């Protein structure tokens, strides 16, 4: 590989923002036809580096070379013309427009009259969609597509130009395992066409599945490049966080108490059917399955957001109906939703107000909200959950993902729930904070909460659960104890393979 | 719910009946226009006549012209509240300038520099609105609210609170003139409607208008120069507001400093009735045209039925909310909405 000329080479890239040195002399080179993973914790500078690459930021120092020639890319169009294409993490699509318009957004083909040339547009997009084996056409409205299909639209964008380097920024964050396989096939196809891939992800197992080399950033500077086949997860992690992580399974079991929640025969239309399980104080039950298996919908039913079409819910031995989140909270059920930023937090509000949001009614002195009482609650959960924020006045939107998640968890703990449901506890959170959240969940169970964890990440489910419930197409396929469960039987259970349900 | 992917595909245009139904679901305002058209035709003696239809077209052309510009700005995710004040400014400037002594010897040509100056004032103010929104990042609502107050103030300063009368009668004759069997002002409105429809639905600028309003970040990422793009659209709405000021003053043969008061509210009502979303990304000229006609027919019809003016306002307010509720019901995505 050393004799080949890198298709892309960054030298000594420095990018500063007022008060922050986001990139500090980063070197990075990509060879033709390789998959090069870029890793680092949140805030390490990966996204900034990618934006420099895509022409969205201009570096203060350093240079970018493509095929050995220095280039200046002043905007995303110029980057595209140079063959560098970024596929955004937060899918960057106009939802009310068609697939075709989105694929050529900013560069719609024109007729000689200056009108949009719909015929050429649809032909070209149609050809790309066929190449990607998409089952939707150029005229489909993007808003009607699933997240995985929207990602295909983003990838289709990359293929409109002669791409030399395609950058994927956390492409699998919201994909199911099956969709991941499709994505990896596409990446391999691109690779065999000689296109280079830069792949950003927090998920170690993916990195080792598809990448050839791994470059690690920490605190805005370059920490080294490793060859995937000659290194280990531990080595990469150590470069990323500057220490090694304790990944040992936290098997310390708390006192398993009485049954807190008992669900039997619960159904909700087509979303899920005949779901029965029980949950005891002091234990963590993990729900694992593909996206669309009905896990989140069960959580939403327990939290009063959906009306069940049948079945019973018993809390502490009594039949209950939960008609709204307010009733769920009153009964002692709390839900940490899967999408922190959209469903869990008021991003523009400060830390204290986010934590006290559900109980601010009870924190009044006369007609006014009591400042002191609110701060006391915040201080308590800041210490208990080890929330790192400059002060209670800090806007939640400025905190890291891990700390944001702790704020959401703190908010619900402050309501003193009996049952805590956590949906995708570590989505978009970096490796170091992930382990912290996992330990936190274990500790909560240890101190007597009954916890349900819903996750699409198998290592996470295996690490935190006392029992695992595997779901497939709205039904419980199997229930495992922590001793029984392993990757193989879990994968079988959630893909509908293997024998009926044991629940 | 972020989880529940919606599988409903847009209504396919197969078979005449189905296609028409799909068209109506996308433009529910036209069903409403047909309804009130039939209602007033049956309820009054004078509504159903060519002369009255011409009336409606001319009466709504002022509102309609501005609504064309408002549509493009609102699809962009912005709004322009200063249009009413611009109507007064352009009308006052035009009527005043054509009487300036320096153009005295120009004959009817004295109208030309006056009209150009009137239109230019609208375009320039639009450019200024757009530039401020672009460079400061202040919300268009606030910027144009400021412009609405400021420009109205300027009009009073400029006119000294006086009405101006057009000294050249060719100017006011234009307002009452006819061309190929229709009032000229109706032609002006219809031709600009077609032009704006083509601009929005066929050109790259039109496509970009939707993209910028739908997902501004995506548009920036795709390399669209969003700032200048928005500025052009503010200039377009400024142009239409000024043009509306001219057509209004030709009809009256005069301008008053209070001209165009509350127009911004009527124009936004018509545009929103036509299906344009305040959040941007959705809307079209066919809908806006329907919204403008709906307001025109309602005002005209209720007038013929001798409904007192204040009840007309109450009715329009109720109808605005009812039509938007209907639109939400028809275009609801999936059955599963969050309980609130």
């Amino acid at each position: 590989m050393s004799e080949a000329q890198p298709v892309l080479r960054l030298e000594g890239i420095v990018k500063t923002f007022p008060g922050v040195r986001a990139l500090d002399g980063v070197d990075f080179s990509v060879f033709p036809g390789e998959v090069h993973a870029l890793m680092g914790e949140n805030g390490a500078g990966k996204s900034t580096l990618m934006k420099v690459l895509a022409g969205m930021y201009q570096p203060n120092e350093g240079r970018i070379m493509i095929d050995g020639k220095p280039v200046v890319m002043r905007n995303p169009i110029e980057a595209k013309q140079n063959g560098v294409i970024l596929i955004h993490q937060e899918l960057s699509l106009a939802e009310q427009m068609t697939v075709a318009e989105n694929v050529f957004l900013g560069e719609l083909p024109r007729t000689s009259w200056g009108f949009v040339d719909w015929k050429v547009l649809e032909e070209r997009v149609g050809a790309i969609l066929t190449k990607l084996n998409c089952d939707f056409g150029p005229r489909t409205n993007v808003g009607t597509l699933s997240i995985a299909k929207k990602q295909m639209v983003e990838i289709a964008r990359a293929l409109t130009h002669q791409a030399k380097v395609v950058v994927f920024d956390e492409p699998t964050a919201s994909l199911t395992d099956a969709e991941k396989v499709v994505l990896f096939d596409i990446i391999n196809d691109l690779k065999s066409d000689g296109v280079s891939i830069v792949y950003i992800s927090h998920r170690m197992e993916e990195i080792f599945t598809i990448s050839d080399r791994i470059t690690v950033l920490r605190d805005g500077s370059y920490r080294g490049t490793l060859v995937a086949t000659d290194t280990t997860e531990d080595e990469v992690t150590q470069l990323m966080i500057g220490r090694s992580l304790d990944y040992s399974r936290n098997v310390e079991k708390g006192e398993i108490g009485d049954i807190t929640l008992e669900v039997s025969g619960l159904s909700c239309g087509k979303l899920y059917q005949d779901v029965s399980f029980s949950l005891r104080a002091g234990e963590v039950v993990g729900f694992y399955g593909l996206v669309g298996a009905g896990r989140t919908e069960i959580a939403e039913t327990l939290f009063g957001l959906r009306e069940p079409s049948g079945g019973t819910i018993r809390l502490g031995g009594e039949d209950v109906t939960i008609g709204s989140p307010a009733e769920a909270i009153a009964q002692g059920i709390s839900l940490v939703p899967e999408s922190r930023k959209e469903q869990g937090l008021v991003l523009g509000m400060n830390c204290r107000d986010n934590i006290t949001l559900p109980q601010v009614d009870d924190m009044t002195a006369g007609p006014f909200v009591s400042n002191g009482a609110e701060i006391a609650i915040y201080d308590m959960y800041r210490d208990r959950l080890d929330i790192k924020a400059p002060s209670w006045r800090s806007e939640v939107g400025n905190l890291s993902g891990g700390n944001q998640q702790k704020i959401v968890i703190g908010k619900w703990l402050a309501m003193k729930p009996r049952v805590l449901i956590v949906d995708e506890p570590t989505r978009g959170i970096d490796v170091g904070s992930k382990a912290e959240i996992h330990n936190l969940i274990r500790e909560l169970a240890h101190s007597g909460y009954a916890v349900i964890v819903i996750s699409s990440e198998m290592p996470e489910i295996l690490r935190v659960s006392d029992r695992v419930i595997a779901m497939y197409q709205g039904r419980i396929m199997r229930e495992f104890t922590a001793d029984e469960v392993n990757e193989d039987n879990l994968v079988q259970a959630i893909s509908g393979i293997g024998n009926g349900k044991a629940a | 719910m972020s989880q529940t992917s919606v599988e409903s595909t847009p209504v396919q245009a197969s078979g005449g009946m189905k296609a028409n139904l799909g068209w109506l679901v996308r433009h529910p305002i036209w069903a409403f226009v047909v309804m009130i058209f039939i209602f007033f035709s049956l309820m009054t003696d004078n509504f159903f006549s060519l002369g009255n239809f011409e009336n409606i077209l001319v009466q709504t052309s002022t509102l309609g012209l501005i609504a064309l510009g408002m549509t493009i700005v609102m699809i962009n995710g912005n709004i322009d509240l200063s249009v009413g004040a611009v109507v007064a400014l352009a009308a006052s400037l035009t009527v005043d300038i054509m009487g300036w002594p320096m153009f005295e010897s120009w004959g009817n040509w004295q109208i030309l520099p006056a009209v150009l100056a009137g239109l230019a004032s609208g375009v320039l103010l639009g450019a200024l609105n757009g530039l401020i929104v672009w460079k400061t990042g202040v919300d268009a609502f606030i910027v144009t609210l400021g412009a609405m107050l400021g420009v109205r103030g300027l009009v009073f300063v400029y006119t000294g609170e006086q009405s101006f009368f057009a000294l050249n009668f060719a100017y006011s004759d234009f307002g009452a003139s006819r061309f190929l069997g229709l009032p000229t002002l109706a032609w002006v409105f219809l031709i600009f409607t077609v032009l704006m429809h083509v601009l929005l639905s066929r050109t790259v600028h039109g496509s970009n208008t939707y993209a910028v309003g739908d997902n501004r970040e995506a548009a920036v990422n795709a390399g669209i120069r969003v700032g200048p793009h928005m500025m052009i659209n503010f200039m377009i709405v400024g142009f239409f507001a000024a043009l509306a000021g001219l057509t209004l003053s030709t009809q009256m043969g005069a301008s008053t400093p209070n001209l165009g008061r509350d127009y911004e509210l009527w124009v936004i009502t018509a545009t929103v009735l036509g299906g344009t979303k305040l959040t941007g990304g959705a809307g079209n000229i066919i809908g806006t045209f329907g919204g403008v006609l709906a307001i025109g027919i309602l005002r005209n019809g209720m007038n013929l039925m001798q409904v007192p003016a204040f009840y007309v306002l109450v009715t329009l307010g109720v109808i605005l909310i009812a039509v938007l509720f209907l639109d939400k019901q028809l275009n609801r995505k999936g059955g599963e909405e969050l309980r609130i």
Side-chain angles (χ1 to χ4, degrees):
Chain A
M1 218 175 245
S2 54
E3 65 271 20
Q5 155 147 290
V7 55
L8 170 76
R9 189 183 183 91
L10 303 181
E11 285 180 353
I13 299 289
V14 174
K15 175 69 192 172
T16 57
F17 297 104
V20 193
R21 206 170 169 85
L23 293 175
D24 190 6
V26 172
D27 298 322
F28 182 61
S29 54
V30 183
F31 291 98
E34 78 164 335
V35 177
H36 195 141
L38 184 65
M39 297 199 72
E41 291 201 283
N42 284 344
K46 295 168 306 202
S47 296
T48 313
L49 187 65
M50 288 311 106
K51 285 183 175 167
V52 167
L53 244 185
M56 293 158 73
Y57 291 157
Q58 301 308 308
N60 301 78
E61 283 171 43
R63 56 181 188 161
I64 305 171
M65 293 197 290
I66 287 174
D67 293 330
K69 291 183 208 87
V71 291
V72 177
M73 299 185 290
R74 283 180 303 245
N75 56 48
I77 296 276
E78 287 188 10
K80 260 191 187 180
Q81 285 159 351
N82 278 302
V84 181
I85 288 144
L86 173 61
I87 295 180
H88 296 272
Q89 174 184 9
E90 316 271 337
L91 293 176
S92 188
L93 297 169
E95 301 261 329
Q96 300 172 53
M97 301 178 81
T98 64
V99 169
E101 285 174 302
N102 267 287
V103 169
F104 276 89
L105 198 64
E107 300 166 295
L108 293 168
R110 293 166 205 245
T111 62
S112 47
W113 285 72
F115 292 154
V116 176
D117 194 336
W118 297 109
K119 197 163 157 257
V120 168
L121 178 66
E122 283 180 13
E123 273 171 19
R124 291 184 60 182
V125 174
I128 295 169
L129 294 181
T130 315
K131 194 173 164 192
L132 292 175
N133 281 325
C134 293
D135 59 358
F136 51 89
R139 286 191 190 182
T140 315
N141 232 314
V142 166
T144 63
L145 297 175
S146 68
I147 293 181
K149 287 177 181 171
K150 284 180 189 168
Q151 191 143 34
M152 288 297 162
V153 177
E154 285 267 357
I155 294 172
R157 256 185 200 176
L159 302 183
T160 59
H161 282 256
Q162 201 55 49
K164 288 181 185 144
V165 180
V166 179
V167 183
F168 288 87
D169 191 358
E170 299 241 23
T172 57
S174 35
L175 296 192
T176 63
D177 288 338
E179 290 162 344
K180 259 183 231 173
V181 172
V182 176
L183 175 72
F184 289 170
D185 282 347
I186 289 171
I187 289 180
N188 282 325
D189 284 350
L190 286 171
K191 190 176 157 177
S192 54
D193 289 344
V195 176
S196 311
I197 310 288
V198 177
Y199 191 90
I200 302 175
S201 175
H202 284 307
R203 298 189 181 169
M204 227 27 119
E205 70 277 12
E206 281 171 19
I207 296 290
F208 280 90
T209 314
I210 64 157
S211 58
D212 301 308
R213 293 196 302 156
I214 302 167
T215 288
V216 178
L217 298 181
R218 185 166 85 233
D219 299 333
S221 56
Y222 174 80
R223 296 290 156 155
T225 301
L226 307 163
V227 176
T229 47
D230 300 344
T231 184
T232 60
E233 291 192 14
D234 285 345
E235 198 179 355
V236 175
T237 310
Q238 218 160 351
L239 270 184
M240 277 169 60
I241 64 176
R243 60 189 155 90
S244 52
L245 265 187
D246 183 12
Y247 265 133
S248 64
R249 170 96 172 275
N250 195 337
V251 284
E252 184 199 351
K253 285 209 175 178
E255 283 284 297
I256 303 280
D258 295 336
I259 291 182
T260 310
L261 174 72
E262 199 172 4
V263 170
S264 55
L266 198 67
S267 304
C268 183
K270 288 178 181 168
L271 296 168
Y272 60 85
Q273 300 85 31
D274 196 19
V275 167
S276 306
F277 66 93
S278 63
L279 178 68
R280 289 168 183 273
E283 75 170 345
V284 178
V285 171
F287 274 75
Y288 188 69
L290 302 173
V291 169
R295 301 162 305 163
T296 297
E297 289 76 8
I298 292 174
E300 286 169 352
T301 308
L302 293 175
F303 195 57
L305 287 164
R306 289 182 190 278
E307 204 176 325
S309 53
T312 56
I313 303 171
R314 290 169 75 84
L315 254 178
E318 286 171 35
D319 278 359
V320 290
T321 51
I322 304 165
S324 68
E327 284 177 44
I329 293 167
Q331 310 264 19
I333 298 178
S334 289
L335 170 66
V336 175
E338 63 179 324
S339 158
R340 212 167 34 250
K341 290 183 182 167
E342 283 89 36
Q343 302 168 336
L345 292 167
V346 186
L347 290 174
M349 239 159 65
N350 65 38
C351 297
R352 180 200 67 183
D353 293 352
N354 264 289
I355 283 194
T356 57
L357 188 62
Q359 53 174 330
V360 73
D361 279 353
D362 306 329
M363 310 191 62
T364 49
F368 304 111
V369 176
S370 156
N371 216 14
E374 282 198 285
I375 294 176
I377 295 264
Y378 168 73
D379 284 348
M380 186 169 135
Y381 288 96
R382 178 199 58 202
D383 296 344
R384 174 147 180 215
L385 304 180
D386 196 21
I387 295 169
K388 291 189 184 68
S391 92
W392 63 260
R393 289 188 182 84
S394 315
E395 248 180 53
V396 162
N398 297 333
L399 301 185
S400 72
N403 281 307
Q404 287 182 347
Q405 190 68 301
K406 287 182 188 171
I407 297 263
V408 185
I409 294 175
K411 169 169 84 177
W412 291 119
L413 291 185
M415 297 306 292
K416 312 247 184 300
R418 288 189 279 184
V419 177
L420 182 67
I421 307 170
V422 193
D423 196 353
E424 300 288 356
T426 61
R427 175 175 289 176
I429 289 177
D430 55 58
V431 189
S433 318
K434 253 186 193 177
E436 234 183 302
I437 299 274
H438 292 158
N439 290 338
L440 178 65
I441 290 173
R442 286 306 320 173
E443 275 167 33
L444 290 174
H446 193 76
S447 60
Y449 291 101
V451 185
I452 294 176
V453 170
I454 300 171
S455 177
S456 303
E457 290 185 49
M458 191 179 291
E460 179 162 281
I461 283 287
L462 296 177
R463 212 169 290 145
V464 301
S465 311
D466 294 307
R467 280 187 292 141
V468 178
I469 290 175
M471 290 198 66
Y472 172 69
Q473 292 190 349
R475 289 180 182 278
I476 290 183
M477 299 308 282
R478 222 183 132 179
E479 189 176 322
F480 302 90
T481 63
D483 303 326
E484 291 168 351
V485 71
N486 60 45
E487 296 192 10
D488 292 334
N489 56 24
L490 197 48
V491 165
Q492 283 194 354
I494 62 141
S495 3
I497 313 169
N499 37 23
K501 46 181 187 156
Chain B
M1 300 269 74
S2 61
Q3 276 286 321
T4 48
S5 71
V6 182
E7 293 298 326
S8 68
T9 41
V11 184
Q12 289 296 315
S14 62
M17 183 72 181
K18 245 183 170 176
N20 288 336
L21 219 71
W23 193 88
L24 267 187
V25 168
R26 270 177 284 126
H27 307 288
I29 188 64
W30 279 96
F32 182 72
V33 168
V34 171
M35 261 169 51
I36 54 175
F37 183 84
I38 295 173
F39 175 80
F40 287 120
S41 300
L42 297 176
M43 297 298 287
T44 67
D45 301 334
N46 309 329
F47 180 82
F48 194 88
S49 74
L50 270 177
N52 191 44
F53 299 156
E54 282 180 7
N55 252 341
I56 294 175
L57 261 184
V58 173
Q59 281 164 5
T60 52
S61 68
T62 322
L63 218 68
L65 283 170
I66 311 175
L68 298 176
M70 191 65 85
T71 305
I72 198 169
V73 170
M74 279 173 56
I75 292 173
N76 235 186
N78 294 318
I79 199 160
D80 188 349
L81 299 178
S82 68
V83 288
V86 170
V87 164
L89 180 73
S92 301
L93 273 176
T94 307
V95 174
D96 185 37
I97 288 175
M98 73 178 72
W100 282 2
M102 65 164 99
F103 300 125
E104 212 177 331
S105 57
W106 288 36
N108 281 346
W109 285 103
Q110 65 191 187
I111 295 173
L112 185 70
V115 164
L116 289 180
L119 292 177
S121 71
V123 174
L124 282 176
L125 276 170
L128 189 65
N129 278 335
L131 195 71
I132 295 173
V133 170
W134 169 17
K135 292 295 183 189
T136 65
V138 177
D139 203 80
F141 187 94
I142 303 299
V143 172
T144 59
L145 182 69
M148 167 180 130
L149 298 172
V151 171
R152 180 69 67 183
L154 276 180
V155 172
F156 278 101
V157 171
Y158 177 75
T159 59
E161 295 180 57
Q162 297 300 308
S163 296
F164 294 152
F165 296 92
L167 298 176
N168 189 320
F169 292 116
Y171 186 69
S172 33
D173 286 347
F174 180 81
S177 66
R178 298 177 69 85
F179 181 70
L180 292 181
L182 270 183
T184 316
L185 293 182
W187 278 115
V188 170
F189 175 41
L190 292 176
I191 287 170
F192 275 111
T193 304
V194 172
L195 284 180
M196 284 301 285
H197 177 68
V198 170
L199 176 75
L200 256 180
S201 61
R202 295 281 163 83
T203 68
V204 174
H205 182 83
S207 272
N208 289 351
T209 300
Y210 286 97
V212 167
D214 191 331
N215 186 339
R216 197 174 284 188
E217 198 180 327
V220 174
N221 288 343
I224 296 172
R225 306 244 304 136
V226 171
H229 170 91
M230 294 194 313
M231 196 168 126
I232 289 171
N233 286 343
F234 274 108
M235 288 161 76
I236 291 175
V237 72
F239 169 81
F240 279 116
L243 184 62
L246 300 194
T247 61
L248 206 57
S249 60
T250 62
Q251 282 173 274
M252 309 188 338
S255 75
T256 71
N258 269 317
L259 208 62
R261 260 210 202 275
D262 292 347
Y263 266 40
E264 55 282 340
L265 300 181
W266 287 109
V267 166
I268 292 167
T269 306
T271 311
V272 170
L273 273 176
T276 301
K277 299 239 175 345
L278 282 167
T279 44
N284 55 64
I285 295 294
I286 295 175
T288 296
F289 189 55
V292 169
L293 281 189
I295 288 188
I297 292 176
L298 279 169
R299 276 174 159 180
N300 177 279
M302 285 194 277
N303 199 4
L304 293 176
M305 285 176 74
Q306 298 180 344
V307 178
F310 298 127
Y311 289 105
V312 175
L313 290 180
V314 174
T315 314
L316 281 171
V318 171
I319 283 169
L320 174 68
I321 294 170
V323 168
L324 290 192
F325 175 71
L326 189 73
D327 179 54
K328 198 171 157 64
Q329 295 303 310
L330 285 172
N331 292 309
R332 201 170 5 193
K333 295 187 175 173
E336 318 255 346
E337 273 201 7
L338 213 56
R339 286 190 213 159
I340 52 171

